[in-house]
Amino acid sequence: YDVDEWYSRSKGMEFKPERGSRCTMCFDMRFERTALYAHENGFKWFTTTNATSRWKDENQVNSSGMRSANKYPGVEYWVYDWQTQTMTDRKYEINAKHKFYKQEYC
């Protein structure tokens, strides 16, 4: 995670709303690095837990992932509907059991 790069890319977006252009920029930045890592290390697929969050726009998250994967031959972004009630229940069960920290914002 390159904090300086994030600040550089997000300059002027400080007051953009959740699910806005700052989120797209952030997803793109992170997925670009993830897709590159997948390409360099022979991984065919990547995905994210961001698509499980009720605070995020699933289409926005998935679009960023697909854009990044398209830059590297043989790398694909796994699109899956993670926002089902079953997945939500399971996520909360795992978080409670292992006492994971969960933030409700970026």
Side-chain angles (χ1 to χ4, degrees):
Y1 176 64
D2 185 342
V3 174
D4 292 333
E5 178 65 15
W6 188 87
Y7 280 123
S8 174
R9 289 189 189 201
S10 64
K11 187 171 182 154
M13 298 182 176
E14 293 84 357
F15 300 104
K16 296 293 182 182
E18 181 69 23
R19 299 179 175 200
S21 58
R22 185 182 63 228
C23 291
T24 299
M25 174 280 301
C26 191
F27 294 141
D28 285 348
M29 184 181 125
R30 293 164 191 275
F31 284 141
E32 286 165 9
R33 181 65 187 101
T34 302
L36 173 61
Y37 184 89
H39 176 73
E40 290 175 342
N41 291 279
F43 292 97
K44 181 177 178 180
W45 301 91
F46 70 95
T47 193
T48 181
T49 59
N50 278 324
T52 69
S53 173
R54 67 176 180 240
W55 306 107
K56 302 297 176 206
D57 177 338
E58 182 180 14
N59 291 325
Q60 182 183 35
V61 172
N62 289 333
S63 292
S64 287
M66 290 183 289
R67 262 194 312 279
S68 296
N70 285 336
K71 295 178 180 182
Y72 300 98
V75 174
E76 296 181 46
Y77 176 77
W78 184 27
V79 176
Y80 186 82
D81 181 8
W82 299 103
Q83 295 182 350
T84 65
Q85 190 60 50
T86 301
M87 290 300 290
T88 298
D89 293 345
R90 180 72 174 132
K91 177 175 60 174
Y92 286 118
E93 175 187 328
I94 291 168
N95 286 336
K97 178 180 178 181
H98 297 286
K99 298 180 178 141
F100 289 144
Y101 168 75
K102 290 181 11 209
Q103 67 185 35
E104 296 178 351
Y105 61 90
C106 287

